[in-house]
Amino acid sequence: MNLTLKIWRQKNAKASGAFETYTVNDVSPDSSFLEMLDILNNNLIHEGKEPIVFDHDCREGICGMCSLHINGRAHGPDSEITTCQLHMRKFKDGDTIVIEPWRSAAFPVIKDLAVDRSAYDKILQAGGFISVNTGGVPDGNAIPIPKPDADESMDAAACIGCGACAATCKNGSAMLFVAARVSSLAKLPQGRIEGARRAKAMVAKMDELGFGNCTNIGACEAECPKLISLTHIARLNREFLSAKFRD
């Protein structure tokens, strides 16, 4: 496959960026998207040019680091996958591919295609954990949890925090991410003790960091590689409102 790539280049968050055009030839359809970028960077290095900075880690669809907008879609033209699991057979020989970083005010560009997603870490630090003393490790059957609740908690916990929801949302909202983190603990007895404080603290931190409001468009769910459901946002709203009523 021979491809034309229009890639966003930017030195840092304060610098002005622009698209630059590159060509890459003889790419196998079985290569992953990141392997294709590796080939391009290898060519650039041999030409004495600066390689393109992009984020990645596990390359197994687990960590969510490989966050790219590809032809206008978060993680590219496939569903239920991260960028590292996208393969070049999803494109055609001769295609022009536009590659951008996440576009969100809360995710400033570090360089080129890499963005600073530490805002999500700060939201988690505000309350996405259990800090109370729950005693020793109980027997697995000592605290019976209904299977539907356990399944829903595990579905929410599947969120990898890649940021596709905020980058896709027209308002730059992080509600799906926050909702998944709150919901994964709200359905478990260990998480109920701090439930009210957690919802208020995480929503407040999300607002403080500059994420937008949710207007229920649903683009976040459509582009989420783990298919986190919008129903978790409804639960977050209930948790938040009930906590405010108690106040």
Side-chain angles (χ1 to χ4, degrees):
M1 300 174 67
N2 299 325
L3 303 164
T4 299
L5 308 176
K6 292 186 176 181
I7 300 177
W8 185 261
R9 303 300 304 263
Q10 185 173 340
K11 288 186 177 180
N12 53 54
K14 295 181 179 180
S16 297
F19 284 104
E20 294 187 6
T21 302
Y22 303 90
T23 58
V24 60
N25 300 319
D26 300 324
V27 176
S28 169
D30 295 324
S31 298
S32 73
F33 196 85
L34 296 190
E35 287 171 339
M36 181 274 294
L37 290 179
D38 289 337
I39 293 170
L40 173 60
N41 274 345
N42 184 64
N43 294 340
L44 291 176
I45 291 169
H46 279 89
E47 294 169 6
K49 298 177 182 178
E50 187 174 8
I52 295 153
V53 175
F54 62 94
D55 231 341
H56 63 92
D57 192 1
C58 71
R59 298 201 180 200
E60 295 178 350
I62 298 171
C63 71
M65 293 291 289
C66 54
S67 304
L68 298 177
H69 247 113
I70 303 165
N71 286 347
R73 286 191 63 183
H75 294 302
D78 204 349
S79 301
E80 300 182 50
I81 55 101
T82 52
T83 299
C84 64
Q85 298 298 293
L86 177 66
H87 286 82
M88 298 311 298
R89 53 181 169 266
K90 284 291 180 177
F91 303 92
K92 297 177 182 177
D93 185 34
D95 272 357
T96 296
I97 305 173
V98 180
I99 309 170
E100 304 172 76
W102 279 169
R103 302 294 192 181
S104 174
F107 296 150
V109 171
I110 297 172
K111 189 172 183 179
D112 295 341
L113 302 175
V115 299
D116 181 356
R117 294 177 300 141
S118 61
Y120 270 11
D121 296 328
K122 293 174 183 176
I123 292 174
L124 288 178
Q125 290 164 6
F129 53 86
I130 297 172
S131 63
V132 295
N133 182 9
T134 58
V137 179
D139 180 82
N141 296 319
I143 306 177
I145 301 172
K147 188 176 187 303
D149 289 349
D151 289 345
E152 198 165 352
S153 175
M154 290 299 294
D155 288 344
C159 171
I160 56 177
C162 68
C165 50
T168 298
C169 176
K170 69 174 187 176
N171 305 319
S173 174
M175 280 288 281
L176 191 64
F177 167 76
V178 176
R181 297 308 188 187
V182 167
S183 194
S184 67
L185 296 174
K187 299 299 291 183
L188 301 177
Q190 297 91 337
R192 294 307 314 156
I193 301 171
E194 297 177 291
R197 184 196 66 80
R198 176 181 301 111
K200 291 187 295 183
M202 293 181 74
V203 169
K205 179 60 69 172
M206 175 180 67
D207 292 341
E208 176 191 325
L209 292 169
F211 289 101
N213 295 319
C214 174
T215 50
N216 296 312
I217 300 299
C220 54
E221 181 184 46
E223 297 295 357
C224 175
K226 300 300 179 182
L227 293 182
I228 304 299
S229 172
L230 283 176
T231 58
H232 295 299
I233 294 180
R235 174 165 295 102
L236 170 60
N237 289 334
R238 289 196 297 271
E239 292 283 317
F240 181 79
L241 289 173
S242 64
K244 285 295 187 180
F245 279 130
R246 283 198 291 272
D247 287 348

